[in-house]
Every structure is written in structure tokens, then in C-alpha cells.
Amino acid sequence: MNNEDFFDNIDTEEKAYWFGFIIADGGLSKDSYQLFINLGLKDSLHLIKFANIFGANIKFTNYNDKKGVSLKLTNKHLYSYLIQSGVYPNKTKIENGYCVKSIHRCLLKHFIRGVFDGDGCITQSKTSKSNCNLSIVGHYRLLEKIKNIIVENAKTNNPNIHKLKNYAILRWSGVEQIHSIGKWLYED
């Protein structure tokens, strides 16, 4: 595997973005030093970009009549570094707010963009175009850190985080809020 040390020093926008994306959509096996990402077929080009960093190939899948793509990277060094940085096996049950410490302040928006691209969405009401929401799903502590960074940098309101059983939802409402966040995350 090429670039096993890719995340050893998260010092570029690209590395920060992909680290955030792994936090959102990646997983680590418990016993085989493996990072895996499974996505829908429509996201295959995105996964190919990530796979190319490591000289790896994606696999096309068909699970319960749902077509998708998967990537599996087996490497002890990469696996160990991701665990040191706050990515854990069975991450659904483990809080992962610690991972933000791995990211330099000037790269935080790229990290958040990766998290959003993996576990975020924008929805709009069918009855009113001005009634829209930007949501990110994840662990409470991670969402709390993301919320504080966005409020400070995008100058938005301070929304509540809704706790559910194994995860939480961070949500901003309104066109102006969403525009401010989008401008901060994607301009530059």
C-alpha cells in the first residue's frame, strides 16, 4: 500500500478533509488492521479519489439489491495512527470528540467539510423554499466541537444538539444560517 503515513501529519487541506470523511463514513475492523469505507454507487468517483491516494482499488458491491462501492485498506501503521487520532473500531458506541485535536486550527473547516460530506445534509421543505435545515449526525462531543467552531467562524446562531440513543443531531435552520456556513466551509 502506498502512503501508509498519509495521516501521520495532517498538514494539508486534503488530509484534513479525508480525515473528517473517515470520521463520518469510515470504519476500523476490530482484528485485522483494516480501514473500510462503504458508500452508495453514486459516490463511487469520490471513493476512487480517496483510494488513489493509497494506490488502492474500490470494489463494486450489491448488498440486498443496493448497489454500492467499498474500499478496504489493510495496514498496521495506518490503522494504529487512526486509533491514536481518535478513530476507533465500533465507533457508533464510542465518543470520538478527541479526533479534533489532531487537526491544526487553520485546517478545521476542511475537516468539518469532510465530516459534513459524510454525515451531513441540507433539506428543504416542500411547502416553503425558505424553510431549510443543515444537519450533521454524529457523536455528541464531536458535534459540540464542530458547533463551536462553526458558530465562531461562520458567525451563526448557537443551535441545540439533539441527543438520541447512540448518536446526536446538530441542526441549523434558515437560509441565512445555511448560507453563512456554506460560505465559510466551501469558499477558498
Side-chain angles (χ1 to χ4, degrees), residues 83-94:
I83 287 181
Q84 286 176 357
S85 300
V87 182
Y88 304 107
N90 200 8
K91 68 180 183 174
T92 302
K93 297 180 181 174
I94 299 173

Side-chain angles (χ1 to χ4, degrees), residues 69-86:
V69 290
S70 69
L71 173 67
K72 294 178 181 177
L73 299 174
T74 304
N75 182 278
K76 186 175 182 178
H77 179 86
L78 175 65
Y79 182 91
S80 298
Y81 184 78
L82 289 172
I83 287 181
Q84 286 176 357
S85 300

Side-chain angles (χ1 to χ4, degrees), residues 33-50:
Y33 301 116
Q34 189 174 78
L35 164 66
F36 58 88
I37 302 174
N38 299 308
L39 300 175
L41 190 60
K42 67 181 175 53
D43 296 317
S44 59
L45 292 177
H46 199 58
L47 194 56
I48 288 170
K49 284 182 197 174
F50 183 66

Side-chain angles (χ1 to χ4, degrees), residues 5-183:
D5 60 351
F6 184 76
F7 291 112
D8 285 9
N9 184 17
I10 301 175
D11 57 353
T12 67
E13 294 173 8
E14 178 186 36
K15 291 177 184 180
Y17 173 85
W18 287 117
F19 186 70
F21 195 79
I22 288 171
I23 293 295
D25 271 346
L28 295 178
S29 66
K30 288 184 180 178
D31 52 6
S32 65
Y33 301 116
Q34 189 174 78
L35 164 66
F36 58 88
I37 302 174
N38 299 308
L39 300 175
L41 190 60
K42 67 181 175 53
D43 296 317
S44 59
L45 292 177
H46 199 58
L47 194 56
I48 288 170
K49 284 182 197 174
F50 183 66
N52 285 341
I53 293 167
F54 301 98
N57 294 310
I58 65 168
K59 179 180 176 186
F60 289 89
T61 60
N62 191 352
Y63 182 73
N64 288 339
D65 291 329
K66 292 184 180 179
K67 294 184 181 189
V69 290
S70 69
L71 173 67
K72 294 178 181 177
L73 299 174
T74 304
N75 182 278
K76 186 175 182 178
H77 179 86
L78 175 65
Y79 182 91
S80 298
Y81 184 78
L82 289 172
I83 287 181
Q84 286 176 357
S85 300
V87 182
Y88 304 107
N90 200 8
K91 68 180 183 174
T92 302
K93 297 180 181 174
I94 299 173
E95 283 284 350
N96 63 351
Y98 171 75
C99 61
V100 176
K101 292 181 179 182
S102 303
I103 310 299
H104 189 276
R105 184 167 175 76
C106 69
L107 297 173
L108 284 171
K109 76 175 178 179
H110 306 288
F111 168 78
I112 293 170
R113 193 167 31 91
V115 172
F116 178 76
D117 284 356
D119 277 343
C121 69
I122 296 175
T123 57
Q124 185 176 34
S125 168
K126 293 179 181 178
T127 58
S128 171
K129 291 189 180 205
S130 63
N131 186 7
C132 51
N133 296 301
L134 182 148
S135 304
I136 305 172
V137 176
H139 286 287
Y140 183 84
R141 286 189 197 130
L142 174 63
L143 295 180
E144 190 173 47
K145 291 175 189 284
I146 288 173
K147 176 185 83 164
N148 292 336
I149 294 164
I150 290 176
V151 166
E152 177 185 338
N153 291 284
K155 310 299 184 215
T156 66
N157 65 10
N158 193 2
N160 292 324
I161 300 172
H162 307 283
K163 282 186 176 183
L164 300 169
K165 186 175 179 180
N166 289 325
Y167 63 96
I169 301 172
L170 172 60
R171 180 177 295 126
W172 280 270
S173 296
V175 174
E176 288 181 21
Q177 297 292 307
I178 294 170
H179 178 73
S180 294
I181 295 167
K183 185 176 179 181

